[in-house]
Amino acid sequence: MTEQLTVTVGRRAARAILIDGYGRLVLIKRTKPGQEPYWTAPGGGVEDSDSSIEAALYRELSEELGAEAAGASQVFLFSSPSDAGVAVQHFFVARLATLDESTRSGPEFSDPSRGGYDLDRIDLRSDELTSIDLKPTALKEFILANREALLAEAATVG
């Protein structure tokens, strides 16, 4: 008899390890009152209207950054417990194609109580990434361990 494993995915998100033409990682610096700043990869929740996880990624990049990416290749998966089961984040490496911050439109920009969502760029060839609080920590470790491969992959996508 074979036992079947059932896991409930409470939330699914698509995020980008987004690299610009200068080898810099494009991140969002989050600032919230009473908390130390932290950085996160752009992206967010997959919605029922998204045709795929990759489609959610492109929608989120447009909303959060006013950005378009050239190609995307899933390279990392991170999960954590959530109230509704497990939260799964799909991380794609992609190359930044265009960016117009004036077109940012996500719900995070209409509610000041959510704090700041500032665009930041970190040179992947430097040690700058080691000194920031990139969440989740497992993503930071993955990027640091694979930065040359990520730079090479971003150069070929699209």
Side-chain angles (χ1 to χ4, degrees):
M1 187 163 113
T2 304
E3 201 174 309
Q4 189 171 2
L5 177 65
T6 304
V7 176
T8 301
V9 176
R11 181 174 192 267
R12 193 174 301 277
R15 297 198 173 275
I17 300 171
L18 189 61
I19 301 172
D20 72 11
Y22 299 99
R24 297 176 301 185
L25 186 60
V26 180
L27 298 173
I28 295 174
K29 182 180 180 183
R30 295 285 288 119
T31 50
K32 297 179 181 181
Q35 292 184 17
E36 289 294 315
Y38 67 91
W39 286 254
T40 185
V46 176
E47 297 176 359
D48 291 339
S49 59
D50 293 321
S51 61
S52 66
I53 296 167
E54 191 172 329
L57 174 74
Y58 292 123
R59 177 186 50 74
E60 284 286 341
L61 289 175
S62 177
E63 290 176 2
E64 280 195 344
L65 300 177
E68 291 183 10
S73 177
Q74 186 172 331
V75 294
F76 185 67
L77 192 64
F78 178 77
S79 62
S80 57
S82 75
D83 293 340
V86 64
V88 179
Q89 295 186 63
H90 299 257
F91 288 90
F92 295 80
V93 63
R95 188 177 72 250
L96 179 65
T98 64
L99 179 76
D100 181 355
E101 287 186 76
S102 71
T103 65
R104 296 168 95 183
S105 63
E108 54 273 30
F109 302 108
S110 59
D111 182 0
S113 70
R114 294 178 75 167
Y117 289 78
D118 299 313
L119 190 65
D120 199 3
R121 297 181 193 220
I122 305 293
D123 187 346
L124 274 176
R125 294 180 182 93
S126 75
D127 289 330
E128 192 176 359
L129 185 58
T130 61
S131 65
I132 67 166
D133 184 13
L134 177 61
K135 295 185 183 286
T137 304
L139 174 63
K140 179 179 178 177
E141 293 167 354
F142 173 79
I143 292 171
L144 287 170
N146 295 284
R147 62 177 129 190
E148 292 302 321
L150 292 167
L151 285 164
E153 185 70 17
T156 63
V157 294

